[in-house]
Amino acid sequence: MSAAGGRGARDASRLIRTANRYRVLRQVLADGPVSRPALAAATGLSRATVATVTGELHRRGLVRVAGFEDSAGGRPAALLAMDPVGGALIGVDMAETYVHAELFDLTLRVLATVRLPLAPGEDGPELVVERTAEAVSRVRERGAPPGVPVLGVGVAMPGMVDREGGVSVFAANWDWHGVPLLGLLARHIPYRLYLDNPLRATTVAELWFGAARGRRDAVVVNLGTGVGAGLALGGAVHRGASNSAGEWGHTTLVHGGRSCRCGRHGCVESYVGAPGIIRTLTEVAPGSALLRPGDQMGTIAALAAGSAAGDPVARRVLEVCADQLGAAVADLVNLLNPEVVVLSSWVAREWGAPLLEAVRGAVGRYALGRPLASAEIVLSPVEGDPVSLGAATFALEGALA
Amino acid sequence: MSAAGGRGARDASRLIRTANRYRVLRQVLADGPVSRPALAAATGLSRATVATVTGELHRRGLVRVAGFEDSAGGRPAALLAMDPVGGALIGVDMAETYVHAELFDLTLRVLATVRLPLAPGEDGPELVVERTAEAVSRVRERGAPPGVPVLGVGVAMPGMVDREGGVSVFAANWDWHGVPLLGLLARHIPYRLYLDNPLRATTVAELWFGAARGRRDAVVVNLGTGVGAGLALGGAVHRGASNSAGEWGHTTLVHGGRSCRCGRHGCVESYVGAPGIIRTLTEVAPGSALLRPGDQMGTIAALAAGSAAGDPVARRVLEVCADQLGAAVADLVNLLNPEVVVLSSWVAREWGAPLLEAVRGAVGRYALGRPLASAEIVLSPVEGDPVSLGAATFALEGALA
């Protein structure tokens, strides 16, 4: 107990220094060019702290003086902005059927994109690692201006990830168990590497650039083939005891209900993950023309187009799914009392506004009044691929730590 | 967004000072008499910080020098302990059928207890406030040594509470809406008052004196007539945007299942709250001799005694309830990845070890491997009434803030 307390205290003071750097840099990213006094006002940090932090950021080449403020007498205040050529960041989204790498400048603008396909069966660690290294090398060649250093590469890998150890503990899609991924990648990639999973990548992307920015407590609901809830509590990612917090997809929505790929029954994911939604479609209208056999994304796109066009089957599926999703999101609202719930990932993006509207209605039916009143529900405002953006942000955070 | 960020930053530096005081005082409570170097080692704080904090605590009369350490040469180190006569704290548990007040010394030892009954229908704010003031006055007279100041009174009030505003936003048991409770109490009680609900009181009790002490992420599962999950994340209570986090009792266990008193269906509480357990008993064995009509506590006691004695009906009810509870606790484990889950409140205490064992088994069936591996599940080790202890701790925290 004493040891845990001690760890906590040392962590706390290191974390607050890192949090100050994050806070200042997020503000420079949002408002730059911006003066130090304006940064102090916007972040609530003291001018002395802002001076210390911006000094560090300047020495590391992350931030530059981009101009001076007009002032009525006295010394004009320097305006700070991210230094676009201070470094480049690479974010990698390792998915089941492709490896997607993006190269960003320090304003997190995309400079280049490379996507290499993975054929079915191309799932051995060595092959996936080679493909990843190739994508990183090609995106680097294609996008980075000469002389600009790559500050780091963030890799988002599906499943349970031991972030400190750099190990893919378990990945259901490739049946990986305990693969020392960071070590394998380090043999091929000459940059600092950061590993985590796509759920945490999208959460970090929302914290830095999306709907969770400046919010104390936010939940990022990822709706894709799998589903999960990234938790941003107290302005930082809540990881839990073993970096596996957020497994909302495998919480129970219907005790004893549908069987789930995790081996249990009635999980949220078995209803509102893409395969669950498609199963609902086959229950509502067996043999529907909306069904694209073997094509999950195509079927969801057909459902989205259908519900927008007033197709009754698509409308009914939307209604059922939004009701289930609303009940499950209401659970997050009741339990965590967040300021904002962000719907993210490809199913949310594909279905868009009609899904948002129906989910808001359902959450209104299921959540308790007080937590409901303080919970905004929005679609992710992050443009581009939030997973590679978030992965690149791991590298930015790493450069600040 | 800037404003929220600013608030966050100022909060952060104030919170870290308060957290340091909490940390030091928790250690003094646990280990006192204890030297400053030992406190620094146990808390991980610097010796300078410990000196500052203990100086403050000493000046406020909370901590005293209780002796000196033998030392091999050099100046002997002072040993610090709580000063039992430095102040008294009162904790009040306002329940549906009684007002229970306890007076504590600064080591949180109970000095006196007063319980005043509330008859059915005695539920108007004025009457409940008068009864509370009477209990506080009587427990003060009975227990506090002459000259010892009462540092504060913590009041735990069921339902949704606006802690900052001192308002009972909604209390289902008495059908209160927006009652300005703290203002009403302040007319009768001449001490500093702190208001929150029983869920947060038991969570704070576990953080200071129970199974969550020294843990980073803990969940306190309250099993009574109502059920809830107090969240202690990052070593502090997670309150959420409007102090209503933890409404786990009204998360969905069976979509479209049993009707719940909240007006929704399939809530966790409708299965594992005491009335839900009794409903399961009537489903398993209608007309069972274990049923004590109109006596919730008596029926749960009969079930506990029956399952311990091998009664097949009681065993079956335990099995069904533990399965439902296990699925719902597994949801907390999957979502939050805590180090420890504490089963608290009267149903957990009454049923004890057989419930714990059955719940551990069920959580093992429902939780995912990685979060399961890091989650210990225990019965609350807090002795006495955790609600009045936690309420008194609100007053102690208030004295430190």
Side-chain angles (χ1 to χ4, degrees):
Chain A
M1 219 125 63
S2 300
R7 212 188 320 124
R10 261 180 235 112
D11 279 359
S13 86
R14 196 181 324 120
L15 284 175
I16 208 159
R17 285 197 306 272
T18 304
N20 287 346
R21 280 183 215 126
Y22 288 7
R23 194 179 295 276
V24 168
L25 207 65
R26 279 180 204 165
Q27 211 66 41
V28 174
L29 276 160
D31 297 344
V34 56
S35 70
R36 289 186 185 88
L39 283 173
T43 58
L45 296 169
S46 71
R47 290 193 177 201
T49 301
V50 168
T52 305
V53 172
T54 53
E56 282 172 15
L57 296 173
H58 188 262
R59 270 194 304 282
R60 295 187 194 199
L62 303 176
V63 155
R64 69 189 172 101
V65 175
F68 291 89
E69 204 165 41
D70 284 341
S71 74
R75 198 156 61 109
L79 296 173
L80 303 175
M82 298 303 292
D83 189 346
V85 297
L89 301 161
I90 295 174
V92 179
D93 175 9
M94 280 179 148
E96 196 164 344
T97 56
Y98 59 82
V99 173
H100 180 89
E102 291 189 345
L103 184 113
F104 299 84
D105 70 13
L106 282 191
T107 68
L108 276 295
R109 194 167 57 96
V110 178
L111 299 179
T113 296
V114 168
R115 181 180 290 225
L116 301 180
L118 292 172
E122 292 192 342
D123 55 11
E126 279 298 345
L127 193 126
V128 172
V129 162
E130 272 172 36
R131 207 55 61 89
T132 302
E134 189 189 338
V136 166
S137 162
R138 281 168 58 176
V139 84
R140 166 80 179 83
E141 280 163 27
R142 193 174 295 179
V148 172
V150 173
L151 300 181
V153 178
V155 176
M157 158 79 206
M160 300 267 184
V161 168
D162 172 358
R163 186 169 148 258
E164 272 85 34
V167 174
S168 163
V169 175
F170 175 58
N173 50 335
W174 294 326
D175 199 28
W176 287 11
H177 298 262
V179 172
L181 188 61
L182 221 58
L184 297 175
L185 286 168
R187 291 192 203 154
H188 299 84
I189 298 175
Y191 311 117
R192 291 195 70 151
L193 287 159
Y194 304 89
L195 182 69
D196 212 322
N197 75 9
L199 180 62
R200 262 164 283 281
T202 55
T203 306
V204 165
E206 294 296 336
L207 261 175
W208 279 81
F209 309 103
R213 191 151 63 101
R215 303 301 189 102
R216 203 171 51 186
D217 300 318
V219 178
V220 180
V221 169
N222 262 24
L223 299 171
T225 305
V227 309
L231 311 180
L233 305 177
V237 176
H238 171 75
R239 299 180 180 277
S242 55
N243 195 36
S244 66
E247 288 288 353
W248 170 72
H250 302 287
T251 63
T252 300
L253 180 62
V254 185
H255 193 55
R258 280 185 185 174
S259 65
C260 180
R261 62 173 173 165
C262 73
R264 296 163 193 83
H265 289 266
C267 294
V268 168
E269 183 171 298
S270 69
Y271 294 88
V272 303
I277 296 171
I278 294 168
R279 179 165 164 189
T280 299
L281 168 60
T282 62
E283 289 171 3
V284 165
S288 164
L290 297 167
L291 194 67
R292 308 287 142 89
D295 181 7
Q296 246 182 54
M297 289 196 170
T299 306
I300 297 295
L303 276 167
S307 60
D311 175 274
V313 166
R315 282 282 174 94
R316 178 70 190 137
V317 172
L318 174 62
E319 202 179 296
V320 172
C321 288
D323 187 70
Q324 293 159 337
L325 183 55
V329 168
D331 289 354
L332 295 170
V333 168
N334 288 347
L335 187 65
L336 297 168
N337 189 198
E339 287 176 51
V340 64
V341 176
V342 190
L343 306 184
S344 177
S345 200
W346 66 268
V347 171
R349 185 180 302 193
E350 190 68 61
W351 226 331
L355 182 71
L356 176 66
E357 195 186 338
V359 168
R360 281 180 174 162
V363 174
R365 291 194 298 278
Y366 290 109
L368 298 172
R370 189 168 166 85
L372 177 66
S374 44
E376 203 183 339
I377 303 174
V378 300
L379 291 171
S380 169
V382 172
E383 285 168 24
D385 178 1
V387 177
S388 47
L389 174 63
T393 309
F394 293 146
L396 178 60
E397 290 189 342
L400 294 175
Chain B
M1 217 127 61
S2 301
R7 211 190 319 127
R10 263 180 233 113
D11 278 0
S13 87
R14 197 182 324 122
L15 284 175
I16 209 161
R17 285 198 305 274
T18 304
N20 287 346
R21 281 182 215 126
Y22 288 7
R23 194 180 294 277
V24 169
L25 208 65
R26 279 180 204 165
Q27 211 66 41
V28 174
L29 276 160
D31 297 345
V34 57
S35 69
R36 290 187 185 86
L39 283 172
T43 59
L45 297 168
S46 71
R47 289 195 179 199
T49 302
V50 167
T52 305
V53 172
T54 54
E56 283 172 14
L57 297 173
H58 189 261
R59 272 194 305 281
R60 295 186 194 200
L62 303 177
V63 156
R64 71 191 171 100
V65 175
F68 291 89
E69 203 166 43
D70 284 339
S71 74
R75 199 157 59 112
L79 296 173
L80 303 175
M82 297 304 289
D83 189 346
V85 297
L89 301 162
I90 295 174
V92 179
D93 174 9
M94 280 178 147
E96 195 165 341
T97 57
Y98 59 81
V99 173
H100 181 89
E102 292 190 345
L103 185 113
F104 299 84
D105 69 14
L106 283 191
T107 67
L108 276 295
R109 194 168 57 97
V110 178
L111 299 179
T113 296
V114 168
R115 181 180 292 225
L116 301 180
L118 293 172
E122 292 192 341
D123 54 13
E126 280 297 345
L127 194 127
V128 172
V129 162
E130 273 172 36
R131 208 53 62 88
T132 302
E134 189 189 339
V136 167
S137 161
R138 281 168 60 175
V139 83
R140 165 82 179 83
E141 280 162 26
R142 195 175 293 180
V148 172
V150 173
L151 300 181
V153 178
V155 176
M157 157 81 206
M160 300 270 184
V161 168
D162 172 359
R163 186 169 149 257
E164 273 86 33
V167 173
S168 164
V169 175
F170 175 58
N173 50 336
W174 294 326
D175 199 27
W176 286 12
H177 298 261
V179 172
L181 189 61
L182 221 59
L184 297 175
L185 287 168
R187 290 191 202 155
H188 299 83
I189 299 175
Y191 310 118
R192 291 197 70 150
L193 288 160
Y194 303 89
L195 182 69
D196 212 321
N197 75 8
L199 179 61
R200 262 164 282 279
T202 55
T203 306
V204 165
E206 294 297 334
L207 260 175
W208 279 81
F209 309 104
R213 192 151 63 100
R215 302 301 188 101
R216 203 171 49 186
D217 300 317
V219 178
V220 180
V221 169
N222 260 24
L223 299 171
T225 305
V227 308
L231 310 180
L233 306 177
V237 175
H238 171 75
R239 298 179 180 278
S242 54
N243 195 35
S244 65
E247 289 288 352
W248 170 72
H250 301 288
T251 63
T252 300
L253 180 62
V254 185
H255 193 55
R258 279 184 184 175
S259 65
C260 181
R261 61 173 174 165
C262 73
R264 295 163 193 82
H265 289 265
C267 295
V268 168
E269 183 171 298
S270 68
Y271 294 88
V272 304
I277 295 171
I278 293 168
R279 180 165 164 189
T280 299
L281 168 59
T282 63
E283 289 171 3
V284 165
S288 164
L290 296 167
L291 193 68
R292 309 287 143 88
D295 180 6
Q296 246 182 53
M297 290 196 169
T299 306
I300 297 295
L303 276 167
S307 60
D311 175 275
V313 167
R315 282 283 173 93
R316 177 69 191 136
V317 172
L318 174 63
E319 202 178 294
V320 172
C321 289
D323 186 70
Q324 294 159 338
L325 184 55
V329 168
D331 289 354
L332 295 170
V333 168
N334 288 347
L335 186 65
L336 297 168
N337 189 197
E339 286 175 52
V340 64
V341 176
V342 190
L343 305 184
S344 178
S345 198
W346 66 268
V347 171
R349 185 180 300 194
E350 190 68 60
W351 226 331
L355 182 70
L356 176 66
E357 196 186 339
V359 167
R360 281 179 174 162
V363 174
R365 292 194 297 278
Y366 289 108
L368 298 173
R370 189 167 167 86
L372 177 67
S374 45
E376 202 183 339
I377 303 175
V378 300
L379 291 170
S380 169
V382 172
E383 284 169 23
D385 178 0
V387 177
S388 47
L389 175 63
T393 310
F394 293 146
L396 178 60
E397 290 189 341
L400 293 175

